[in-house]
Amino acid sequence: MGNIKIIQGDITTAEVDAIVNAANSQMLGGGGVDGAIHRAAGPELLAACKKMPAQNGIRCPAGEARITGAGNLKAKYVIHTVGPRYGVNEPAAQLLASAYQNSLNLAVSHGCRSLAFPAISCGVYGYPHREAAGIAVSVCSRPEYEPLAICFYLFSDDMVAVWKQALES
Ligand code: ADP
């Protein structure tokens, strides 16, 4: 899996074609990595999100993904995906796999050669890290995504260790 890298750091600094945001369904910003991405991208990103069609306020259901421009970020695109809230959105494993898969498919269909993922659902959405890492690595390792340079941006030493273990096993 030479196309998958693990980096410890802030995803907003990633020099890639697309940065994946662990968004919420409303796509109007929030805490965690979502807040960091919106702060770094500036108001253009929120304006682009607001333009996405909404149904009862939902712009992106759990497991799906949407693509917008990236405002002031170095990336060309932000791909907004919504992971499952652990213990709430079921089946969680399938929804998490779909969030990764739909993000990767949008990157490919928009001609991206590189993208950066955060640890989707591993913050306030409460997904157990080891299981989440296994799902993330298994979807990203599919042969159809081999042409993409995929980076995981992780914040803590612990998360880096968990992801490295998933990648090596
Ligand atoms: P979710 O709601 O999907 O759980 P969170 O944003 O709460 O998303 O957390 C997802 C992960 O992103 C967590 O592991 C959190 O520590 C991490 N994170 C937060 N800010 C950043 C950032 N700027 N770059 C990379 N990872 C981040």
Side-chain angles (χ1 to χ4, degrees):
M1 267 85 77
N3 63 314
I4 302 178
K5 283 205 178 78
I6 293 166
I7 293 166
Q8 186 165 11
D10 178 357
I11 197 168
T12 64
T13 66
E15 298 200 17
V16 288
D17 292 333
I19 290 178
V20 179
N21 181 16
N24 56 51
S25 290
Q26 289 77 26
M27 282 179 62
L28 297 179
V33 73
D34 194 5
I37 288 172
H38 274 276
R39 274 193 300 280
E44 232 178 273
L45 183 62
L46 185 59
C49 287
K50 283 184 176 164
K51 282 189 193 147
M52 286 279 155
Q55 266 195 333
N56 299 322
I58 304 296
R59 292 183 174 75
C60 184
E64 296 190 18
R66 304 285 184 264
I67 192 165
T68 65
N72 297 330
L73 293 168
K74 280 186 192 143
K76 291 192 196 115
Y77 301 107
V78 173
I79 294 172
H80 310 260
T81 191
V82 180
R85 285 171 206 257
Y86 198 71
V88 176
N89 302 117
E90 300 285 355
Q94 211 170 299
L95 289 168
L96 187 60
S98 296
Y100 279 101
Q101 185 181 321
N102 286 320
S103 299
L104 290 159
N105 289 347
L106 271 178
V108 170
S109 68
H110 284 72
C112 297
R113 285 182 295 190
S114 56
L115 84 169
F117 278 111
I120 299 166
S121 285
C122 288
V124 294
Y125 282 7
Y127 213 103
H129 297 170
R130 225 164 273 283
E131 287 171 37
I135 291 166
V137 165
S138 103
V139 176
C140 290
S141 307
R142 289 181 190 157
E144 66 257 44
Y145 303 127
E146 219 177 286
L148 279 173
I150 301 170
C151 305
F152 285 101
Y153 274 76
L154 305 166
F155 250 7
S156 67
D157 292 342
D158 286 359
M159 293 290 276
V160 168
V162 167
W163 246 257
K164 281 198 171 148
Q165 202 176 35
L167 198 55
E168 282 154 18
S169 64

